[in-house]
């Protein structure tokens, strides 16, 4: 009679002792000895897959200036153009670059979590290279552009390149050509 996933997983509706017992049975089945202890923090978790969530932005800028702030890509670009409170040398600015499930919601029913996780990690590594070799502004623009491209891809269509096939209908390039540059892995406009 609980209408939402959040209500079903509420503390007053979950028998944690039974959850631990079920996890212990699974652990035993996997061959782990009974002496293995659960982690002290968050030992057993239930996940609500009734909703999907992802980061709104693939990058945030942490600015340690006279007025410390966390900026979205749009706010950062505007501040750089206006040069409001940011140093022209980008001193004191750090990029926060989520990858994997932290960036793009997992969609395990399609078997994509690890594949998109690797691609987002390589994409953000390339963004770091751009920040070093070109500018933070170029890096932020790249992170946003490639993230939009990743979101637009039809990951559930055909081979996803998980084993490096690069075939199927999603447009991944052959594995042998892959490196951190997204243009060498994913269809890029």
């Amino acid at each position: 009679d609980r209408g939402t996933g959040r209500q079903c997983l509420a503390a007053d509706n979950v028998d944690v002792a039974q959850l631990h017992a079920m996890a212990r049975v699974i652990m035993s089945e996997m061959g782990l000895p009974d002496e293995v202890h659960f982690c002290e923090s968050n030992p057993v978790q239930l996940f609500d897959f009734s909703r999907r969530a992802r980061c709104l932005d693939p990058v945030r800028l942490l600015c340690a200036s006279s007025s410390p702030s966390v900026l979205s890509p749009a706010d950062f670009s505007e501040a750089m153009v206006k040069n409001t409170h940011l140093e022209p040398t980008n001193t004191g600015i750090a990029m926060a670059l989520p990858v994997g499930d932290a960036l793009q919601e997992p969609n395990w029913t399609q078997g994509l979590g690890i594949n998109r996780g690797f691609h987002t990690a390589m994409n953000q590594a390339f963004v770091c290279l751009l920040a070093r070799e070109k500018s933070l502004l170029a890096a932020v623009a790249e992170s946003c552009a490639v993230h939009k491209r990743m979101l637009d891809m039809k990951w559930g269509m055909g081979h996803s390149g998980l084993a490096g096939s690069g075939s199927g209908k999603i447009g991944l390039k052959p594995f042998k050509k892959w490196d951190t540059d997204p243009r060498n892995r994913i269809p890029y406009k």
Side-chain angles (χ1 to χ4, degrees):
D1 62 324
R2 296 185 184 239
T4 68
R6 183 176 296 238
Q7 291 170 334
C8 288
L9 297 176
D12 66 341
N13 195 47
V14 175
D15 185 336
V16 176
Q18 287 297 319
L19 185 60
H20 275 87
M22 182 181 71
R24 180 62 65 193
V25 167
I26 294 169
M27 290 168 57
S28 295
E29 183 65 28
M30 293 173 55
L32 294 173
D34 290 340
E35 313 69 75
V36 172
H37 297 286
F38 289 106
C39 181
E40 286 184 37
S41 61
N42 300 319
V44 179
Q45 294 291 316
L46 291 176
F47 296 96
D48 176 5
F49 293 107
S50 64
R51 291 172 274 134
R52 291 171 48 180
R54 60 180 166 84
C55 289
L56 297 176
D57 297 310
V59 58
R60 290 288 172 133
L61 291 297
L62 312 176
C63 305
S65 61
S66 56
S67 56
S69 56
V70 177
L71 300 177
S72 70
D75 292 340
F76 174 73
S77 297
E78 182 180 327
M80 288 299 287
V81 169
K82 291 180 180 176
N83 199 17
T84 53
H85 67 282
L86 301 178
E87 298 291 325
T89 60
N90 297 328
T91 302
I93 301 173
M95 293 185 299
L97 298 163
V99 298
D101 292 351
L103 176 61
Q104 192 170 347
E105 75 279 357
N107 195 351
W108 295 304
T109 59
Q110 295 176 340
L112 306 173
I114 193 71
N115 193 18
R116 292 189 311 186
F118 281 123
H119 283 287
T120 60
M122 288 189 285
N123 295 344
Q124 298 291 43
F126 186 72
V127 166
C128 291
L129 177 67
L130 286 179
R132 185 185 74 193
E133 300 295 323
K134 290 189 176 180
S135 69
L136 276 177
L137 204 53
V140 169
E142 176 72 11
S143 183
C144 292
V146 73
H147 180 59
K148 181 180 182 334
R149 186 64 197 116
M150 291 285 290
L151 292 176
D152 290 343
M153 290 177 70
K154 305 293 184 213
W155 286 93
M157 307 278 296
H159 298 288
S160 61
L162 182 59
S165 65
S167 61
K169 299 177 183 172
I170 66 171
L172 284 177
K173 297 180 181 170
F175 177 73
K176 290 179 182 181
K177 296 182 179 187
W178 288 9
D179 59 23
T180 59
D181 187 340
R183 289 157 193 81
N184 296 331
R185 290 180 283 108
I186 64 174
Y188 209 89
K189 297 174 183 173

